[in-house]
Amino acid sequence: MQPLPLAPLQLPLALILRSVVARHSNIFERLGPHACKRFGIEPTDLPFAFVLEPHPRRPTMTAVRSLPDDIPIRIAGPMIGLLGLVDGAYDGDALFFSRDLVIEGDVEAVLALRNALDDADVDLVADAAALFGPLAPLGQRLLGGALSRLKAAAGAQEGSESWN
């Protein structure tokens, strides 16, 4: 996947982030002084990373080949674990203490982000499926099935069924 351009990822990222914010309008308002910080999210099993700028008025998420050196906050772990943190399927403390999740930089900002996500009760599959309009139920089944297969594959690789 490394030689593939990242430009095609930008539009789906923007649309999914917009859908999450539309369905959970105050998700980033809880960040308080951390709302204007940049968060580096680095899936350890993918050849790219994400930069999240959760500004309440205009949040952005961008795919990058590697995180900038000046990024103040870095969250790294397997992609399925990172997705599970967003929708509450995985316990962040368990991932952190098992060393599947690495946090560097402003830990207070990471905790504020975690609390904002937990309070918003985000369902990434439903939020992404909402983009399909009247076909949202079909999209939810397809996306949910794909995510379930990824989780099962990750569990088989780790030798367990669950990460928490």
Side-chain angles (χ1 to χ4, degrees):
M1 286 178 47
Q2 191 156 3
L4 295 176
L6 296 179
L9 279 177
Q10 305 309 340
L11 180 60
L13 281 174
L15 290 173
I16 291 170
L17 182 61
R18 188 176 305 147
S19 180
V20 168
V21 170
R23 294 174 61 123
H24 312 279
S25 59
N26 62 352
I27 187 170
F28 295 129
E29 291 175 5
R30 274 212 58 195
L31 291 176
H34 308 292
C36 295
K37 295 183 178 177
R38 294 183 320 148
F39 293 78
I41 302 167
E42 188 173 36
T44 54
D45 49 357
L46 294 177
F48 53 87
F50 305 98
V51 175
L52 172 65
E53 297 181 57
H55 193 281
R57 291 190 182 165
R58 192 170 187 164
T60 60
M61 182 172 254
T62 309
V64 294
R65 196 57 64 197
S66 62
L67 293 176
D69 291 335
D70 64 341
I71 198 96
I73 303 154
R74 178 178 167 264
I75 304 166
M79 185 64 178
I80 197 70
L82 295 170
L83 289 172
L85 289 173
V86 173
D87 66 16
Y90 296 140
D91 178 29
D93 293 336
L95 288 174
F96 178 76
F97 288 113
S98 68
R99 297 187 181 158
D100 288 320
L101 182 69
V102 176
I103 297 170
E104 294 175 352
D106 190 345
V107 175
E108 184 179 350
V110 173
L111 289 175
L113 179 62
R114 175 188 170 184
N115 290 337
L117 290 170
D118 285 349
D119 287 349
D121 198 27
V122 173
D123 181 344
L124 274 178
V125 171
D127 293 342
L131 296 170
F132 294 103
L135 298 176
L138 175 62
Q140 190 161 357
R141 280 194 304 273
L142 292 172
L143 292 171
L147 188 58
S148 293
R149 285 189 294 280
L150 286 173
K151 286 179 181 178
Q157 288 177 353
E158 293 294 319
S160 67
E161 290 298 313
S162 175
W163 287 26
N164 58 356

